[in-house]
Amino acid sequence: MKNINFKTNLKQKGLYLGLAALLIVPSSCSDSFLDVDPQGKQAGAVFWVNEADATKAVNAMYANLRSWNNTAFGPIALESMGSDDAEKGSTPSDATFFNLYDTFTVGSTDGQLGGFWEGQYQNINYANQVITNIPAISMDENLKARYLAEAKFVRAYSYFRLVRAFGDVPLRLSLPKDASEYNLPRTPKADVYAAIEKDLSEAAAVLPLNYGAADLGRVTKGAAQSLHAKVSMYQAKWQQVFDLTTQVINSGQYSLFADYEALFRVANENSTESIFEIQNELIPSNKDASNSQYSQVQGVRGVTGGGWGFNVPTEALSKSFEAGDPRRDATIIYRGETTPAGDAIPATGDNPMYNQKSYVPFKLYVTGFNEGSQQNVRVIRYAEVLLMNAEAANEIGNSTTALASLELVRARARGASKTILPKVTTTDKTALRTAIWNERRSELAMEFDRYFDVIRQGRGTAIFGPKGWKAGKNEVWPIPQNEIDLSAGVLTQNPGY
């Protein structure tokens, strides 16, 4: 099923880099940083010479974010499947390995572990190439500084995904000088978090608040601050979360998009609510660059323009929304419904529900391309910044701000109705915390956060225990066995696996 046309040209397996990989980058360059030829390559002897080379390298870094290992099966397995909001989908016999994540019976040899690991370290390798090689190039100094900041954000983003999935992971912040530097041991997660925070602080100090149309979708100051707040939230650094989210709120760059359902459609990508999205596009003249399968693997099964039907909502998620909450129908495509875009979903089929947030209207399907390849991946939205602000404010004893930020999110969902989603008014810290957690579930459902949210909240046993989750083991996934083997035992396995 996997699209094999896309080639990264990075001869990399996880952390173990071939030196040739340091010299190979896409050679095509255009006005849009989306339109990168992923199969082009340029000899290392003539690369890293000028500003155009720097631009190609940074564009290649962004292009890799939409690759299979970053947006398809690996992320579904590790970042979604363990939650109570999602299950495998498709047909019972198809890709049954997903069930191992759903029941917490996966072993260290499953391929999705290695795929996810490899995808993140590929991103890190691209970022490290930029950070190591661009400083020596004679080019516009402001653009140079910005490119380095963008690379630090990407590196931080991938390390955050790694550390919350695996705990301690090898920390590589520069290119290996020789073979003796290929094989790194695992770094304690506290040190990984510290490196992530340093990258994001340095990036935020340089990145602009916004861009012109030609660079829409690149990393901004608000994106670095928002991701930093999220990283801080996972460490329970509540004052820091509050300060960072307050800076983003006060920047005046973002606002909630009025129509929650329409927010996730292609026409409204990079909206006023978007803080960071992985940029995908269907480029008729460049099929290889139109390689995203994020929407395809989750699309409605059995219809032209749909998809494979994986990562589907659970009945538990459907029932979790408050009465009348419009976000339920904006999040879940139900069998037999007609979508707001006018697509009639068959009344019979393999699955009763599908993820509406990854849905692309069937009329946008182009024969010969992946279904939904033009759908961006929403990584950080302003609504999440408001909910992080609310949670942090409550934790530091500022219930007034917590209620105000929470109400902004609920008011957008409520719309013109006066009978649904009443204002939360409690100032009891425990009750308000629960209300904010519930709001995160409804607002961010099917956006690959619920699983790790529950774990960071200390509720893994209570919420996931009936599925087989065990404290002291399932806070993290197993380290891929292939990486341990390649390291000759330098990498160690997580307890219990």
Side-chain angles (χ1 to χ4, degrees):
M1 293 182 293
K2 180 176 174 181
N3 185 324
I4 60 173
N5 293 324
F6 176 68
K7 299 184 186 298
T8 65
N9 286 315
L10 283 174
K11 307 303 182 184
Q12 172 183 347
K13 176 63 178 175
L15 193 63
Y16 309 97
L17 311 178
L19 288 177
L22 312 183
L23 307 178
I24 299 173
V25 297
S27 63
S28 169
C29 185
S30 72
D31 291 337
S32 171
F33 75 99
L34 289 172
D35 195 0
V36 176
D37 178 3
Q39 293 184 319
K41 53 185 178 179
Q42 187 168 334
V46 295
F47 201 72
W48 302 114
V49 172
N50 53 37
E51 186 172 299
D53 291 342
T55 299
K56 294 171 191 175
V58 173
N59 289 355
M61 176 184 70
Y62 277 103
N64 201 60
L65 292 177
R66 61 179 181 256
S67 68
W68 172 267
N69 284 333
N70 277 285
T71 61
F73 273 15
I76 287 174
L78 277 71
E79 297 180 322
S80 183
M81 202 49 45
S83 84
D84 51 340
D85 284 358
E87 56 192 3
K88 180 178 80 70
S90 188
T91 62
S93 61
D94 196 7
T96 56
F97 53 78
F98 279 130
N99 293 324
L100 303 176
Y101 294 85
D102 196 25
T103 57
F104 303 102
T105 55
V106 68
S108 62
T109 59
D110 183 71
Q112 306 320 306
L113 295 165
F116 183 84
W117 178 283
E118 181 176 338
Q120 303 321 302
Y121 278 110
Q122 283 178 340
N123 295 338
I124 291 162
N125 182 46
Y126 271 115
N128 282 341
Q129 290 183 57
V130 169
I131 292 166
T132 299
N133 290 300
I134 285 183
I137 296 176
S138 178
M139 59 180 289
D140 180 272
E141 290 299 320
N142 289 329
L143 181 61
K144 177 188 291 186
R146 198 195 84 196
Y147 279 171
L148 294 174
E150 291 176 65
K152 288 178 181 178
F153 174 92
V154 169
R155 184 168 70 180
Y157 171 58
S158 283
Y159 270 123
F160 175 58
R161 296 179 77 179
L162 284 166
V163 76
R164 73 175 186 173
F166 298 109
D168 302 350
V169 293
L171 181 63
R172 182 177 293 286
L173 299 176
S174 61
L175 298 177
K177 296 182 178 63
D178 54 47
S180 69
E181 297 184 359
Y182 290 173
N183 198 5
L184 296 182
R186 297 173 68 184
T187 299
K189 67 178 182 180
D191 295 339
V192 178
Y193 272 122
I196 292 169
E197 291 199 59
K198 183 175 184 292
D199 271 351
L200 293 172
S201 293
E202 292 177 357
V206 173
L207 290 166
L209 288 170
N210 51 52
Y211 293 93
D215 288 311
L216 195 64
R218 290 185 182 272
V219 180
T220 62
K221 178 186 292 289
Q225 292 171 326
S226 299
L227 181 57
H228 195 169
K230 191 165 185 173
V231 169
S232 301
M233 180 175 68
Y234 273 74
Q235 301 171 86
K237 295 182 176 181
W238 294 115
Q239 186 64 55
Q240 187 162 285
V241 177
F242 181 79
D243 293 343
L244 287 163
T245 53
T246 298
Q247 290 177 52
V248 176
I249 292 167
N250 290 342
S251 71
Q253 298 298 307
Y254 309 102
S255 61
L256 295 175
F257 193 78
D259 188 330
Y260 182 84
E261 192 279 334
L263 167 66
F264 297 94
R265 304 289 72 81
V266 173
N268 298 312
E269 292 170 345
N270 302 311
S271 72
T272 59
E273 187 166 338
S274 172
I275 292 181
F276 183 65
E277 299 182 10
I278 295 173
Q279 304 294 305
N280 298 322
E281 188 59 271
L282 193 157
I283 304 169
S285 62
N286 194 343
K287 185 176 179 180
D288 283 336
S290 309
N291 63 306
S292 172
Q293 293 179 262
Y294 166 76
S295 178
Q296 180 186 54
V297 298
Q298 300 180 80
V300 177
R301 188 173 177 86
V303 297
T304 301
W308 301 350
F310 290 103
N311 195 44
V312 299
T314 61
E315 186 65 22
L317 173 61
S318 181
K319 291 179 178 178
S320 71
F321 290 91
E322 293 176 58
D325 189 339
R327 291 174 296 189
R328 189 194 73 153
D329 287 341
T331 299
I332 303 173
I333 295 176
Y334 291 91
R335 192 163 51 195
E337 76 162 90
T338 298
T339 69
D343 288 326
I345 307 303
T348 59
D350 292 313
N351 302 282
M353 292 175 276
Y354 295 94
N355 182 4
Q356 190 157 323
K357 289 181 176 178
S358 64
Y359 154 77
V360 173
F362 303 156
K363 66 183 179 183
L364 297 181
Y365 172 64
V366 177
T367 302
F369 287 78
N370 300 331
E371 296 94 334
S373 59
Q374 59 271 73
Q375 170 81 305
N376 282 3
V377 181
R378 276 67 170 174
V379 176
I380 307 175
R381 298 191 285 115
Y382 185 55
E384 183 177 10
V385 169
L386 290 171
L387 291 176
M388 288 192 291
N389 181 262
E391 188 169 350
N394 182 55
E395 295 300 332
I396 63 175
N398 185 348
S399 61
T400 299
T401 298
L403 288 169
S405 293
L406 177 61
E407 172 57 19
L408 288 173
V409 176
R410 290 176 68 80
R412 188 267 298 274
R414 187 185 307 127
S417 175
K418 296 181 180 180
T419 60
I420 62 170
L421 300 175
K423 283 187 178 182
V424 176
T425 58
T426 182
T427 58
D428 177 80
K429 189 173 186 178
T430 300
L432 183 51
R433 179 188 297 128
T434 299
I436 294 166
W437 287 350
N438 290 341
E439 197 68 26
R440 283 187 66 87
R441 184 181 191 184
S442 297
E443 176 67 29
L444 304 174
M446 302 304 293
E447 295 182 51
F448 295 70
D449 269 314
R450 169 68 175 176
Y451 177 63
F452 291 113
D453 254 357
V454 168
I455 291 174
R456 74 166 176 87
Q457 293 160 2
R459 300 191 294 160
T461 300
I463 305 297
F464 304 144
K467 296 175 55 177
W469 194 93
K470 293 180 176 60
K473 174 184 177 182
N474 295 126
E475 290 85 356
V476 290
W477 297 110
I479 301 296
Q481 186 61 46
N482 186 54
E483 299 296 333
I484 294 175
D485 294 341
L486 285 170
S487 77
V490 171
L491 293 183
T492 58
Q493 187 54 269
N494 279 320
Y497 291 103

